[in-house]
Amino acid sequence: MNKKHEKVIAPDVGWRNVTRAGIIPTAGNAEYYETGGWRTKKPVWIEDKCIHCLLCWRFCPDSSVIAEDGKFGRFDYEHCKGCGICVNVCPSDAIDFIDEGETSEGRNDGE
Ligand code: SF4
Ligand code: SF4
């Protein structure tokens, strides 16, 4: 190992000291982090096509589909990571998937 490399790897900081995937090891804290900031694409609800089956609500891994009175209500964009699962499970193409920052004219994105 040359001198330059020795400087980069401190002797007391090895891979065993790093938390798995860098996750803070405290259970149940996800709601405190606005994971929506990770998103590059976002789902947009198309009200006219929705049949309120709630498959999107059931399959969203981040509980970011908010149901209201047994129907689709809105997306929680503070926590939606833009994984696209809701888009894929929707049986009636009622969720558009647009680039973050793109406008959604005529669509209800709840923002
Ligand atoms: S999966 Fe599609 S049709 Fe079903 S509630 Fe969600 S948006 Fe509406
Ligand atoms: S894009 Fe992913 S995280 Fe966002 S609402 Fe749909 S399923 Fe949930």
Side-chain angles (χ1 to χ4, degrees):
M1 189 182 294
N2 64 31
K3 282 267 184 214
K4 193 174 169 191
H5 202 144
E6 284 172 17
K7 277 187 187 172
V8 174
I9 303 172
D12 57 337
V13 182
W15 63 270
R16 286 188 173 85
N17 303 99
V18 179
T19 56
R20 281 187 191 172
I23 292 171
I24 299 164
T26 307
N29 63 4
E31 69 180 298
Y32 302 115
Y33 296 92
E34 291 189 11
T35 50
W38 303 359
R39 197 175 53 235
T40 58
K41 292 185 78 87
K42 80 176 180 185
V44 177
W45 184 50
I46 305 169
E47 184 172 5
D48 293 347
K49 291 184 177 181
C50 181
I51 58 173
H52 298 284
C53 64
L54 291 183
L55 282 177
C56 53
W57 171 80
R58 178 174 292 195
F59 281 92
C60 174
D62 292 303
S63 301
S64 295
V65 175
I66 310 300
E68 292 169 359
D69 297 326
K71 294 182 171 182
F72 180 99
R74 62 185 173 84
F75 289 110
D76 170 5
Y77 287 114
E78 287 189 358
H79 296 99
C80 162
K81 297 193 192 95
C83 66
I85 289 174
C86 57
V87 180
N88 284 313
V89 299
C90 178
S92 58
D93 292 329
I95 305 174
D96 213 352
F97 205 33
I98 66 172
D99 290 335
E100 191 65 34
E102 189 182 325
T103 55
S104 53
E105 202 171 315
R107 303 279 161 83
N108 182 356
D109 64 3
E111 290 188 319

